[in-house]
Amino acid sequence: DTAVSQTPKYLVTQMGNDKSIKCEQNLGHDTMYWYKQDSKKFLKIMFSYNNKELIINETVPNRFSPKSPDKAHLNLHINSLELGDSAVYFCASSQTLRVGETQYFGPGTRLLVL
Amino acid sequence: EDQVTQSPEALRLQEGESSSLNCSYTVSGLRGLFWYRQDPGKGPEFLFTLYSAGEEKEKERLKATLTKKESFLHITAPKPEDSATYLCAVQASVPPGSEKLVFGKGTKLTVNP
C-alpha cells in the first residue's frame, strides 16, 4: 500500500520540452507539497496546496505550474525545461496545514534535462 | 531567514560503534524539529518530531534530543542497515507558509560490518 506515489520515477528529456509529474496520496490528507532536491542533495520547498488551494509558492519560476484536481492529487507541470531543472522532485503530504504535522514523502521523480 | 546546519557531512562507523549527529538551527520560533532518514534513490522516511527543548524520542537504536539551539540524533550500537543519509528539518511559528519544512543538507552515515 503506497501512501504517496509519483509517476514517472525517471524522466529524461530535451531542453525546451514540456513535461508533467503526477503525485497521488491515499492517506486522506488535506495538504500536499512539492520539494526539489538538487545535485548537492539539498531539499527545498517549491509549493504547498491545502484542499486544492495554493498556499506556498516559494519563488519558483512560473515555468513550473502545480495543479490539484482534487485533494488526493497534486501534479507538477514544467514548461520549457532548462538544464538547471535537472533534480529529484519529491511530493509530500500531511494531514492538515497545522504547523507540527508530519509530512510523508513519495519516492521521488528523477528528472534529467539534456 | 530560517537555517539548518548539520554536522558532520559524512560519518563512517564500525558496527557497534555509537556516535551522534548534530543539527543546529536558527529559526524565528521553533514549532517542530523533524528527523528523516533517506536511503539512496528513495524519499525521506519520517523518524521523529520534537517540539520543545528537553524533549527526547527513541526508536530502536536511535534517540533524538532537542535543546534551544540544536538537536542530536544518537545512534547506539549501529548496524550496517542503519547506513543512510539523516536529514534534519525545522518548522517556524511565523505564518503564513510556516508549514514548510526547512531542511539541512544531511549527514551521510555509513556503518561497516
Side-chain angles (χ1 to χ4, degrees), chain A residues 33 35 37 42-43 45 48 55-56 58 90 97 99-103 105-107 110, chain B residues 31 34 36 38 41-44 46 49 51 91-92 97-101 103-105:
Chain A
Y33 311 81
Y35 285 84
Q37 190 170 43
F42 209 12
L43 201 59
I45 185 82
S48 74
I55 304 299
I56 294 176
E58 194 75 1
F90 288 99
L97 198 58
V99 174
E101 290 275 1
T102 299
Q103 295 182 20
F105 285 78
R110 284 138 192 86
Chain B
R31 292 296 293 272
F34 299 78
Y36 284 84
Q38 186 173 24
K42 303 269 182 78
F46 171 72
T49 309
Y51 294 102
Q91 273 185 337
S98 54
E99 64 280 3
K100 70 180 181 185
L101 292 177
F103 279 89
K105 290 186 177 181

Side-chain angles (χ1 to χ4, degrees), chain B residues 31-65:
Chain B
R31 292 296 293 272
L33 185 140
F34 299 78
W35 282 98
Y36 284 84
R37 168 191 171 128
Q38 186 173 24
D39 292 298
K42 303 269 182 78
E45 176 188 343
F46 171 72
L47 293 173
F48 304 109
T49 309
L50 302 167
Y51 294 102
S52 56
E55 190 175 357
E56 298 182 352
K57 295 250 176 100
E58 281 190 71
K59 180 181 178 180
E60 296 181 357
R61 295 177 293 282
L62 300 177
K63 179 180 176 180
T65 61

Side-chain angles (χ1 to χ4, degrees), chain B residues 60-75:
Chain B
E60 296 181 357
R61 295 177 293 282
L62 300 177
K63 179 180 176 180
T65 61
L66 181 65
T67 71
K68 288 188 177 178
K69 292 188 176 182
E70 58 192 350
S71 176
F72 291 93
L73 185 66
H74 306 278
I75 304 177

Side-chain angles (χ1 to χ4, degrees), chain A residues 32-56:
Chain A
M32 296 184 73
Y33 311 81
W34 278 110
Y35 285 84
K36 178 180 179 180
Q37 190 170 43
D38 61 25
S39 56
K40 295 181 181 178
K41 305 297 183 186
F42 209 12
L43 201 59
K44 192 168 181 184
I45 185 82
M46 298 174 70
F47 300 102
S48 74
Y49 267 73
N50 188 61
N51 277 322
K52 304 194 298 174
E53 183 184 345
L54 179 66
I55 304 299
I56 294 176

Side-chain angles (χ1 to χ4, degrees), chain A residues 4-13 17-24 32-47 57-66 74-93 104-114, chain B residues 38 41-44 87 103:
Chain A
V4 182
S5 59
Q6 296 179 228
T7 53
K9 187 169 182 179
Y10 299 97
L11 188 51
V12 181
T13 187
N17 284 350
D18 302 338
K19 291 292 179 186
S20 291
I21 306 172
K22 295 186 176 182
C23 176
E24 176 181 3
M32 296 184 73
Y33 311 81
W34 278 110
Y35 285 84
K36 178 180 179 180
Q37 190 170 43
D38 61 25
S39 56
K40 295 181 181 178
K41 305 297 183 186
F42 209 12
L43 201 59
K44 192 168 181 184
I45 185 82
M46 298 174 70
F47 300 102
N57 180 341
E58 194 75 1
T59 60
V60 176
N62 56 17
R63 297 183 295 103
F64 291 78
S65 53
L74 181 62
N75 304 323
L76 184 64
H77 188 76
I78 315 170
N79 289 327
S80 304
L81 277 155
E82 300 177 357
L83 293 177
D85 297 332
S86 296
V88 183
Y89 293 84
F90 288 99
C91 178
S93 73
Y104 296 91
F105 285 78
T109 294
R110 284 138 192 86
L111 171 65
L112 178 60
V113 182
L114 301 174
Chain B
Q38 186 173 24
K42 303 269 182 78
L87 300 171
F103 279 89

